[in-house]
Amino acid sequence: MISLIRKLKGLNPSLFIVSIFILALPFIVNVHMSDIVLSIRYLALSVLIFLLSLLNFRRGVIKSVIKNPLFLSLLLLFFVNIFSALYHDFTADAIVSLFRLFVLLSLTIFFASIFVKEDYLQIAKSILLFSFISLLIYFWQIYVAFTSNKDFMSEVELISATMANKNLLASILFLSLPFLFYVYQSASKFWKILVFLVLALILCSLIIIQSKAVLLALFIMSFSIILFSFRENKMLVLYFILLVSVISSIVLIASPKVGLQFKQELSQLIQTKDRFLNNQLVENDSRISLYIKTFSMIKDNPILGVGPGNWKKVFPKYGLYNTTGEKGKKFVQRPHSDFLWFFSEGGVISGFLYILMFLLLLRDIFYLYIKNNDRSRYFFLILFSTVLGYVFISLLDFPSERPTHNLFLAIILGIVISRNLNKEAYYNTSNRIFGIIL
């Protein structure tokens, strides 16, 4: 008990609050909304940013963080979108869209500043526990669906723990992988066992969810890790391949329907490709139709786009044929591609800045991988491979809209920026204006 009290006294208050917040995330929902997490979690993030600003107000902001190219690309992206919003009338939807960027920006400042002198193991443990709690909720929902009288495969399509969408659950679990590895590297035996358990559950859930974007991202991640580490640690690579093979086999044997569903998904992809090449798209090819029509929108509004938050308002002008909104029962809200979203709403400069942010992030992580010769080298390899896969997910999905994804991405940005700063970096107390703004 005394040991626990001493540990609590030694904790950084800001990191403690963030850790508790991450643990609480699976339970922050609003069942009275169509999207049970989007608004309520952004509201919770607002409260978190306010508390962090109060705790860190006196210290101000480290100058080197603001001058970092990675942070500057994100800051420029924010201002370009503000300018686009002003040009297209500053609507309520524009404010919501800009707020998402502001959350990512402000949290990046905080994490980059705090990780200069503080370790991120506590945050990594919180993310591990977040993943564990989310997975427990997910598999409980699977159990309930399996024991009900309803069609199991149809019910599985709707199960997403508390992430509102199964693909978003898959992508947030994917984004948590480098933090699991960091806990495994740095923590005690208990935490190592928990990492193995959560990793096994994640692989099982990804096989059940069958998110094509995340499965392909996992393949990209695995290929990247094997490419860079096979010569250095062949056994680690072989163990990883064996683990994936064993878990995949267990899931497919336990539930043959999952294998059948996977085969159907693969067949559908091939059919979609053939229909696209023959210009014979149907309603089931709505994602391709969204991309084609969004490209037309970008072509018509190349400089300032259509304005943040305006894609869903302008898109119907390009026709709802072969989209989910064709019959009027659903409302098409986004192009299902973060890159196309930024290009279409903020213009080509906004789109290129979003790409530049990821390119700089990948460059800096790769530099840290090359520079470090200790065991942190492998953490940065996992982080590099994860971000590479996440870029692919962003190409086919919309994680930039989601509060939990932006929180995890801000933590990654903060880690990378802080590791490229001098450990003796000082706080510029004259820049307290940033604390006031936050």
Side-chain angles (χ1 to χ4, degrees):
M1 184 67 180
I2 295 174
S3 175
L4 178 62
I5 293 172
R6 285 177 180 173
K7 285 182 179 180
L8 289 174
K9 284 184 177 179
L11 291 177
N12 181 287
S14 298
L15 288 183
F16 180 72
I17 289 174
V18 173
S19 299
I20 296 299
F21 181 84
I22 292 172
L23 289 175
L25 269 175
F27 308 104
I28 301 177
V29 296
N30 185 354
V31 294
H32 300 294
M33 301 288 289
S34 57
D35 190 319
I36 63 172
V37 298
L38 188 62
S39 300
I40 191 68
R41 287 189 184 175
Y42 269 121
L43 177 61
L45 277 175
S46 302
V47 175
L48 175 67
I49 292 170
F50 177 71
L51 291 175
L52 295 177
S53 302
L54 290 178
L55 286 171
N56 297 277
F57 174 72
R58 290 187 177 182
R59 292 190 296 179
V61 177
I62 297 177
K63 280 184 176 180
S64 301
V65 171
I66 303 172
K67 294 178 181 179
N68 184 276
L70 182 53
F71 176 78
L72 286 175
S73 66
L74 187 56
L75 186 64
L76 284 173
L77 176 65
F78 180 59
F79 281 115
V80 166
N81 278 271
I82 286 179
F83 191 73
S84 175
L86 290 170
Y87 180 79
H88 290 285
D89 298 328
F90 215 87
T91 62
D93 287 318
I95 293 172
V96 172
S97 183
L98 291 171
F99 176 71
R100 293 198 295 264
L101 274 176
F102 177 76
V103 165
L104 180 60
L105 189 68
S106 55
L107 288 175
T108 298
I109 292 176
F110 164 73
F111 288 122
S113 299
I114 204 71
F115 288 150
V116 168
K117 295 184 178 180
E118 299 286 345
D119 188 25
Y120 32 89
L121 178 60
Q122 184 180 335
I123 297 294
K125 287 180 177 178
S126 298
I127 293 175
L128 169 63
L129 292 173
F130 161 85
S131 300
F132 185 52
I133 294 169
S134 298
L135 287 162
L136 288 178
I137 296 171
Y138 177 75
F139 282 105
W140 170 252
Q141 292 172 336
I142 290 286
Y143 171 77
V144 171
F146 186 76
T147 55
S148 68
N149 295 323
K150 299 178 181 178
D151 180 59
F152 177 66
M153 295 310 298
S154 299
E155 289 296 302
V156 167
E157 289 293 309
L158 303 174
I159 293 174
S160 59
T162 57
M163 289 300 298
N165 181 285
K166 65 167 190 170
N167 293 329
L168 294 172
L169 172 63
S171 58
I172 199 64
L173 291 174
F174 176 82
L175 198 57
S176 70
L177 291 177
F179 300 103
L180 270 64
F181 181 80
Y182 189 74
V183 173
Y184 177 81
Q185 269 195 327
S186 310
S188 63
K189 186 177 180 180
F190 166 78
W191 290 100
K192 293 181 191 296
I193 295 172
L194 185 59
V195 167
F196 273 112
L197 174 61
V198 172
L199 184 59
L201 291 174
I202 286 176
L203 290 174
C204 288
S205 65
L206 293 182
I207 293 169
I208 296 171
I209 293 170
Q210 295 185 14
S211 168
K212 292 182 279 291
V214 176
L215 289 176
L216 287 170
L218 192 62
F219 173 78
I220 292 169
M221 176 189 180
S222 303
F223 180 79
S224 173
I225 294 171
I226 292 171
L227 182 66
F228 287 107
S229 64
F230 187 72
R231 289 185 179 180
E232 297 180 16
N233 202 330
K234 294 181 180 179
M235 289 306 298
L236 181 65
V237 174
L238 292 175
Y239 282 140
F240 175 76
I241 295 172
L242 180 63
L243 178 65
V244 172
S245 301
V246 169
I247 292 175
S248 301
S249 301
I250 292 172
V251 172
L252 293 175
I253 291 170
S255 181
K257 289 183 179 180
V258 173
L260 181 62
Q261 180 74 9
F262 186 80
K263 185 178 179 181
Q264 290 174 350
E265 291 280 354
L266 187 61
S267 176
Q268 186 178 338
L269 271 177
I270 296 171
Q271 291 173 13
T272 300
K273 181 205 72 172
D274 294 338
R275 287 193 295 266
F276 173 73
L277 293 175
N278 296 322
N279 197 24
Q280 295 177 343
L281 295 177
V282 297
E283 187 180 350
N284 287 339
D285 307 320
S286 60
R287 190 77 63 92
I288 304 296
S289 296
L290 289 177
Y291 296 158
I292 293 172
K293 292 172 183 179
T294 301
F295 272 116
S296 299
M297 188 187 298
I298 296 169
K299 185 179 178 181
D300 294 341
N301 305 273
I303 308 301
L304 293 173
V306 297
N310 287 338
W311 182 93
K312 58 188 175 186
K313 300 174 184 176
V314 177
F315 182 79
K317 296 179 181 178
Y318 293 86
L320 296 175
Y321 183 64
N322 284 339
T323 71
T324 54
E326 180 179 357
K327 297 180 180 178
K329 295 181 179 180
K330 293 184 179 180
F331 181 57
V332 184
Q333 300 182 62
R334 55 189 79 83
H336 274 270
S337 170
D338 278 346
F339 292 99
L340 291 181
W341 210 354
F342 278 99
F343 270 105
S344 61
E345 291 196 340
V348 291
I349 297 176
S350 173
F352 281 125
L353 284 171
Y354 192 65
I355 294 173
L356 179 63
M357 181 192 73
F358 279 112
L359 289 176
L360 291 173
L361 178 59
L362 288 168
R363 183 204 65 178
D364 289 352
I365 299 173
F366 187 74
Y367 173 72
L368 289 168
Y369 166 69
I370 296 296
K371 185 177 71 171
N372 288 280
N373 293 319
D374 55 10
R375 62 180 186 173
S376 66
R377 171 184 176 87
Y378 294 105
F379 167 69
F380 288 113
L381 173 59
I382 300 291
L383 190 61
F384 175 85
S385 304
T386 303
V387 172
L388 198 63
Y390 188 71
V391 170
F392 182 79
I393 292 172
S394 299
L395 189 65
L396 301 175
D397 221 327
F398 49 96
S400 70
E401 181 193 49
R402 314 311 292 187
T404 312
H405 291 71
N406 279 333
L407 174 61
F408 284 19
L409 181 59
I411 293 171
I412 292 173
L413 289 167
I415 290 172
V416 175
I417 292 173
S418 66
R419 288 299 297 261
N420 283 308
L421 297 181
N422 186 342
K423 292 297 179 183
E424 300 300 321
Y426 60 91
Y427 286 87
N428 177 24
T429 54
S430 65
N431 275 345
R432 289 182 182 174
I433 184 66
F434 280 93
I436 296 172
I437 293 172
L438 294 178

